[in-house]
Amino acid sequence: MLAQELREKYLQFFESKGHRRLPSDSLVPNDPSLLFTSAGMVQFKPYFLGLATPPHPRVTTVQKCLRTTDIESVGDYSHLTFFEMLGNFSFGDYFKREAILWAWEFLTEWLHILPERLRITIYLDDDEAYEIWNREVGVPDRKIFRFGEKSNYWPANAISEGPNGPCGPCSEIFYDTRPDLPPTPDGVWDDVRWLEIWNLVFMQYERHDGGRLTPLPRKNIDTGMGLERTAAILAGKASVFDTDVFQPILARIADLSGRAYGGGDTAEDVAFRLIADHIRAVTMSIADGVLPSNEGRGYVIRRLLRRAMLRGQNRLGFDRPFLADVATAVVETLGDVYPEVRERREYVLRTIRNEEERFRQTIQVGSQRLAEMLETPEVQASKVLSGEQAFMLYDTYGFPLELTQEVAAESGITVDVEGFRRAMEEQRQRAREASGIATQLFAIAGDAATELQKTLQPTRFLGYWQHEAEAKVLAIIRQGEPATFASEGEEVELVLDQTPFYAEAGGQVGDTGWITGEHFQFEVRDTQKVGDLYLHIGMVTRGRVEVETTVTARIDSPRRWHIMRNHTATHLLHAALRQVLGTHVHQAGSLVAPDRLRFDFTHTSAMTDEEIAEVERLVNERILEDKPVAVHWDVPLEEARARGAMALFGEKYSDRVRMVEVPGVSLELCGGTHLERTSQIGLFKIVSEGSVAAGVRRIEAVTGWGVYQLVRQQQELLEEAAARLKCAVPDIPAAIERLQAQRQELEKQIAQLRTGAAARAAQFEPAEMEGLQVVTGRADGVDAQTLASLADQAAQRASVDLVVLAAATDGRALFVVKAKPSAVAKGVHAGNLVRELAKVAGGGGGGRPEFAQAGGRDAGKIAQALEQLPRLLQQMLRQQ
């Protein structure tokens, strides 16, 4: 039976039972709590909750669904992300009896599935369902299995874990996939052999806090049967991919790749299945309006598309975009069932093709970079790729963490996921990363900006020479879509024909400032670049801005000056590091922000304090030399390299480049903004030096105003320390030395006291009490730890059975009792004994039979407490 026959037969069957056929809902549900429609009942939630009136009390559908919970299993013979669910529903109409009887009738009479190949599961105490299956349907007891709320309740574990709301037991129908094997023994369940094909949910309770269940006023039915699995069963196939649902798609992949699908477990066959599944999910989602992006539903689709592309590239040899061509087979197989995918065919294919092309542009470099990372001695030795490296791939090349993990796993290497998350959090907190890759806001606008590039001229950048300029608004992007205007309070991106705003690149953050017109003001909070277009990202703070408006664009000049100080300083820092550490040092990344600079460089060991000081001295020396900063424009790349210009590690450059030179000190390829002379930096101060990854170190530093603020903070700390030490700031070291000398003297006195106490303990002689050799004594002035140690020493004598020591320390009483096995055997309990002694001194305590400690508030009662020892021992031993 073909899939289309199965769909139609199912719907016709339930129409014959009084159901109304309804169309599938979109994969994008009208439910903010869900990313995708994951079951047939999703569109009917308002009816189940009683929030709306259903169009009919009985409904049947074939619903397209998408789930990614089993994404790591996709590629086997049965797991899917996109699938179709056959469902029948009752809203307060029929209940268990009809649902069970009709399910059995459809399977055995309409689909002609042999009853002996079916088994049933029910909820533990659902005797009503058992009676229907057993007495009315005739399923033998041995083929009915009872399971708990994890397996046979909806939602799973709803009683114990929630959520509150409608819920109920369910009954599942399983199919024997291996009739060639001997029958499983009665009462024995085999998860591998038995395949679930239909789930009948009996929604009959309302769950409340604490797991309390009350009957619903109207009981509902929600059932779901997987189309693909059922089609495989009817076709006598072991895999859903061997059915007409997938065969046209697999054939298209084979035709495009020139390879044959074998239906086995080889890496190639797994790739065939994964691509076939993922392209169905991507095609159907885009047809329903989901576009690949970096968040929400779009991220799911982007991830699926990239997984399919990489698997095709790595396993099937696809070295060019192919997914759009595969998607045509999806349109052909599902277009008659879901007309929207056929109607939007060109849109869907174009979206897939553009996304794959964009990803391939970055993945070529990213894959090579990842391969290089995986081959480094550090990774090969540890078999772990650092989280920082994985984040760099994500941030620079668009590699999702999951893809990095998959590629690494193929080489037997794991990824430091926690390290990746820390790096991600650092980016969110500090808002900028060295690579200059776009922020989330840029990602939202990316698609619209990409389209605008086709019609708009490149933005002319004026910011090297001026901080303010007249310009025209060429485009406005609102929430990722082109707009003709934006009003006060709206967050948008403006594209100008020319701008003084520097767009984030090469580690230097984007400019901020203002764009103003006759009737509006726009606050620029960031500037990003998409292709040759500059996006001015911010908010309309007054009035209304429209396309074609003439405006004045003005950057935040003081902030730009701070950035330029830090950027020119990074060039001086790079040169100083190479001078102090060696010419093996190369830049591996940077961040140039207004408040600080960060410089990553290749070096295998931590810098010494002397090296840090020397680098810092050299940079400040170059600053005070007031050297000019020269810019060389439009230099052929080969000429720049021949002149020794330093390039950023891993960066790609065009044929003609811009060089920034501090004569006699530094020559680098750089597109950032710089000072005219080094003296404008002011001062330079290293704040920290540490490791980023194996073989990569990081320096963070401040310049100019940042150094002044740092000096002020340190001065305030020194003044506070001087006040606490009751001395002048210059006298702080001498005052600390005095405190250290006083401490050493006090520690010496304490040691002497403890030594004296130990000597006294050695003089303690045992005395006979109640047939036991008992050591008692005092060691005033010692702490509890020392007192316990003295007790251990005293107990080392072979003749001693019991040690009871006390000490008066800081006005408090301390007691320790140590009972050796000989004493414990006669009934002594150290914990009980020490508690009674401490009571005399106004305290308490306790412990184990062999050792215990206690304290009391009144050290003056120690002697009285020890006098009670013979009596307490006598009482304790008599109770034995």
Side-chain angles (χ1 to χ4, degrees):
M1 183 181 295
L2 298 178
Q4 179 54 25
E5 294 179 71
L6 175 58
R7 293 188 193 95
E8 188 59 30
K9 183 164 286 194
Y10 183 90
L11 295 172
Q12 289 178 357
F13 172 80
F14 280 99
E15 282 179 321
S16 73
K17 304 297 183 183
H19 291 64
R20 177 176 294 180
R21 180 192 302 211
L22 293 182
S24 170
D25 195 18
S26 168
L27 281 173
V28 181
N30 185 26
D31 185 337
S33 68
L34 298 174
L35 282 179
F36 291 99
T37 298
S38 58
M41 60 80 60
V42 169
Q43 65 170 310
F44 303 128
K45 282 178 68 175
Y47 307 148
F48 288 127
L49 294 171
L51 302 177
T53 302
H56 195 275
R58 301 181 182 184
V59 166
T60 184
T61 63
V62 178
Q63 174 66 50
K64 48 188 175 182
C65 303
L66 196 151
R67 298 177 186 174
T68 58
T69 50
D70 294 324
I71 190 171
E72 300 305 326
S73 298
V74 172
D76 65 7
Y77 297 110
S78 62
H79 285 92
L80 305 172
T81 55
F82 174 85
F83 61 97
E84 296 175 79
M85 184 175 288
L86 310 172
N88 57 286
F89 309 89
S90 168
F91 310 114
D93 189 45
Y94 65 85
F95 197 48
K96 287 183 186 179
R97 183 174 181 275
E98 293 85 350
I100 291 173
L101 293 177
W102 291 339
W104 188 260
E105 180 184 350
F106 181 71
L107 290 175
T108 60
E109 298 182 20
W110 283 56
L111 300 186
H112 306 293
I113 294 176
L114 297 176
E116 54 266 28
R117 296 187 67 170
L118 299 175
R119 286 198 178 188
I120 309 300
T121 67
I122 61 174
Y123 181 58
L124 281 173
D125 60 3
D126 193 354
D127 293 331
E128 180 184 0
Y130 174 85
E131 291 296 323
I132 298 170
W133 280 117
N134 182 244
R135 293 182 181 275
E136 297 195 51
V137 176
V139 178
D141 176 81
R142 68 178 185 276
K143 292 188 176 182
I144 303 175
F145 294 78
R146 295 178 184 259
F147 291 111
E149 60 173 319
K150 180 179 180 180
S151 300
N152 279 82
Y153 215 85
W154 187 90
N157 292 319
I159 301 174
S160 58
E161 299 177 6
N164 289 342
C167 62
C170 63
S171 179
E172 296 174 326
I173 304 174
F174 288 78
Y175 180 80
D176 184 0
T177 62
R178 295 298 306 273
D180 55 305
L181 297 177
T184 53
D186 292 347
V188 175
W189 186 260
D190 185 340
D191 279 323
V192 176
R193 179 169 179 169
W194 295 93
L195 179 70
E196 177 196 344
I197 57 172
W198 206 340
N199 187 13
L200 315 178
V201 178
F202 312 127
M203 213 174 297
Q204 62 186 104
Y205 297 111
E206 174 95 14
R207 189 214 188 254
H208 307 274
D209 290 339
R212 182 172 60 89
L213 302 178
T214 58
L216 286 172
R218 298 190 341 149
K219 298 176 181 179
N220 304 311
I221 288 293
D222 160 26
T223 88
M225 178 165 65
L227 170 79
E228 294 81 0
R229 286 186 176 184
T230 308
I233 288 171
L234 297 176
K237 304 295 184 181
S239 168
V240 297
F241 294 92
D242 293 333
T243 67
D244 65 303
V245 176
F246 283 99
Q247 283 299 301
I249 304 172
L250 294 171
R252 185 63 53 84
I253 298 172
D255 181 58
L256 293 170
S257 66
R259 307 192 185 195
Y261 172 61
D265 294 320
T266 67
E268 285 192 2
D269 287 340
V270 171
F272 266 90
R273 292 192 289 266
L274 183 142
I275 294 168
D277 167 78
H278 284 10
I279 197 61
R280 289 211 316 161
V282 169
T283 301
M284 300 305 293
S285 296
I286 294 175
D288 276 346
V290 182
L291 286 177
S293 70
N294 282 345
E295 65 175 13
R297 299 181 184 98
Y299 174 73
V300 175
I301 299 310
R302 173 165 284 171
R303 179 187 175 195
L304 292 172
L305 190 148
R306 290 178 171 182
R307 278 168 56 93
M309 195 222 79
L310 283 178
R311 198 62 65 98
Q313 175 180 284
N314 297 335
R315 294 301 183 188
L316 301 182
F318 284 109
D319 57 2
R320 58 177 178 77
F322 69 98
L323 290 175
D325 292 331
V326 178
T328 59
V330 180
V331 176
E332 291 165 6
T333 56
L334 292 175
D336 291 337
V337 185
Y338 305 106
E340 62 273 14
V341 71
R342 189 179 296 281
E343 294 167 2
R344 301 165 190 168
R345 179 181 188 275
E346 295 308 314
Y347 169 78
V348 170
L349 299 183
R350 184 175 66 251
T351 301
I352 293 173
R353 187 176 295 110
N354 291 343
E355 177 71 12
E356 185 177 5
E357 288 175 350
R358 283 197 296 266
F359 185 49
R360 280 182 175 272
Q361 292 171 1
T362 57
I363 212 66
Q364 289 175 358
V365 180
S367 294
Q368 182 179 354
R369 187 76 184 96
L370 175 56
E372 292 171 355
M373 291 178 177
L374 297 177
E375 291 299 323
T376 60
E378 296 84 359
V379 173
Q380 285 295 315
S382 65
K383 294 299 180 183
V384 176
L385 183 72
S386 74
E388 290 82 3
Q389 290 172 302
F391 181 76
M392 188 275 284
L393 291 168
Y394 168 83
D395 191 48
T396 307
Y397 303 111
F399 262 70
L401 174 62
E402 300 85 356
L403 295 184
T404 301
Q405 288 176 298
E406 288 182 10
V407 176
E410 292 175 357
S411 299
I413 293 169
T414 60
V415 178
D416 175 14
V417 177
E418 287 304 315
F420 176 90
R421 290 171 180 163
R422 285 193 300 269
M424 176 73 81
E425 184 60 27
E426 179 183 351
Q427 185 201 47
R428 288 171 177 166
Q429 290 176 350
R430 302 177 73 165
R432 299 291 186 273
E433 278 301 321
S435 63
I437 293 301
T439 62
Q440 183 62 31
L441 188 57
F442 162 73
I444 293 173
D447 289 334
T450 300
E451 291 300 315
L452 288 172
Q453 288 183 78
K454 300 175 181 178
T455 57
L456 298 181
Q457 291 295 314
T459 307
R460 183 184 177 201
F461 178 57
L462 308 174
Y464 289 132
W465 305 279
Q466 58 196 84
H467 289 190
E468 182 175 325
E470 296 298 311
K472 178 183 289 187
V473 179
L474 299 183
I476 300 172
I477 300 173
R478 183 198 298 124
Q479 295 182 351
E481 298 293 335
T484 57
F485 68 90
S487 302
E488 183 172 327
E490 288 190 302
E491 295 184 352
V492 296
E493 297 83 50
L494 303 185
V495 179
L496 309 181
D497 61 340
Q498 58 183 16
T499 181
F501 286 81
Y502 181 85
E504 182 173 353
Q508 179 176 327
V509 300
D511 280 331
T512 62
W514 302 269
I515 297 174
T516 57
E518 183 178 356
H519 302 295
F520 80 93
Q521 179 166 304
F522 181 80
E523 180 184 348
V524 180
R525 298 174 177 176
D526 192 12
T527 308
Q528 296 289 340
K529 192 176 180 182
V530 181
D532 294 323
L533 297 183
Y534 283 57
L535 297 183
H536 304 80
I537 304 167
M539 175 183 284
V540 182
T541 57
R542 177 179 59 82
R544 166 176 161 139
V545 57
E546 298 181 0
V547 172
E548 298 297 320
T549 302
T550 299
V551 300
T552 299
R554 177 169 56 90
I555 69 171
D556 184 338
S557 290
R559 180 177 181 272
R560 166 75 83 79
W561 275 102
H562 294 320
I563 292 171
M564 291 193 296
R565 291 188 185 97
N566 285 331
H567 202 157
T568 302
T570 62
H571 288 216
L572 299 182
L573 172 60
H574 192 184
L577 286 167
R578 289 173 61 84
Q579 183 175 340
V580 173
L581 301 179
T583 56
H584 65 278
V585 169
H586 291 277
Q587 180 178 348
S590 68
L591 168 67
V592 180
D595 58 334
R596 71 196 185 284
L597 67 89
R598 186 177 69 217
F599 190 82
D600 296 345
F601 58 97
T602 55
H603 190 55
T604 56
S605 60
M607 294 177 64
T608 65
D609 292 341
E610 292 75 17
E611 289 171 336
I612 293 173
E614 178 62 11
V615 167
E616 192 173 85
R617 185 192 69 78
L618 284 172
V619 173
N620 282 294
E621 188 175 275
R622 302 294 176 258
I623 291 171
L624 296 175
E625 288 173 350
D626 187 30
K627 288 183 174 292
V629 180
V631 177
H632 305 278
W633 301 88
D634 198 32
V635 179
L637 180 59
E638 291 305 316
E639 178 185 332
R641 286 174 172 166
R643 293 176 57 179
M646 300 294 296
L648 178 63
F649 180 77
E651 185 78 2
K652 283 190 171 293
Y653 295 93
S654 61
D655 293 337
R656 307 189 74 84
V657 295
R658 177 176 183 263
M659 294 193 306
V660 176
E661 181 181 17
V662 179
V665 179
S666 169
L667 180 63
E668 297 195 20
L669 302 182
C670 181
T673 59
H674 286 272
L675 303 168
E676 294 181 351
R677 306 193 70 85
T678 60
S679 61
Q680 293 173 303
I681 296 172
L683 283 173
F684 171 86
K685 178 65 181 174
I686 294 176
V687 176
S688 66
E689 189 274 344
S691 174
V692 177
V696 180
R697 309 294 298 177
R698 170 175 291 174
I699 279 179
E700 296 208 19
V702 291
T703 64
W705 185 253
V707 177
Y708 171 76
Q709 291 177 313
L710 180 64
V711 170
R712 280 300 313 153
Q713 292 171 359
Q714 293 177 341
Q715 180 66 26
E716 290 171 1
L717 288 174
L718 287 172
E719 291 173 355
E720 181 181 351
R724 295 191 179 191
L725 291 169
K726 294 182 173 59
C727 68
V729 169
D731 297 331
I732 287 177
I736 292 175
E737 288 180 1
R738 287 194 299 272
L739 285 177
Q740 290 175 330
Q742 292 173 7
R743 176 171 179 165
Q744 290 173 356
E745 179 60 29
L746 291 172
E747 289 176 344
K748 182 178 178 181
Q749 293 176 15
I750 292 172
Q752 290 173 346
L753 285 172
R754 290 176 176 172
T755 301
R760 290 195 302 274
Q763 299 173 0
F764 294 151
E765 292 296 331
E768 193 276 334
M769 291 185 193
E770 299 297 323
L772 299 173
Q773 291 296 310
V774 182
V775 171
T776 61
R778 296 182 59 161
D780 294 339
V782 304
D783 58 15
Q785 182 178 354
T786 303
L787 191 63
S789 178
L790 294 176
D792 288 336
Q793 295 177 34
Q796 290 177 3
R797 302 182 195 179
S799 60
V800 173
D801 299 303
L802 180 66
V803 179
V804 180
L805 299 183
T809 302
D810 297 331
R812 293 182 57 83
L814 298 176
F815 296 95
V816 170
V817 175
K818 185 174 182 66
K820 296 174 70 174
S822 57
V824 175
K826 292 185 178 182
V828 175
H829 191 291
N832 295 339
L833 183 58
V834 79
R835 183 171 58 251
E836 296 302 321
L837 293 171
K839 283 182 180 178
V840 178
R848 306 187 307 273
E850 65 277 6
F851 178 81
Q853 293 176 292
R857 293 187 300 273
D858 190 353
K861 296 290 184 66
I862 290 177
Q864 181 180 340
L866 293 176
E867 290 174 359
Q868 301 295 319
L869 182 58
R871 179 182 63 81
L872 293 172
L873 276 176
Q874 185 181 57
Q875 292 178 352
M876 185 171 289
L877 296 179
R878 284 181 178 177
Q879 292 174 359
Q880 187 64 17

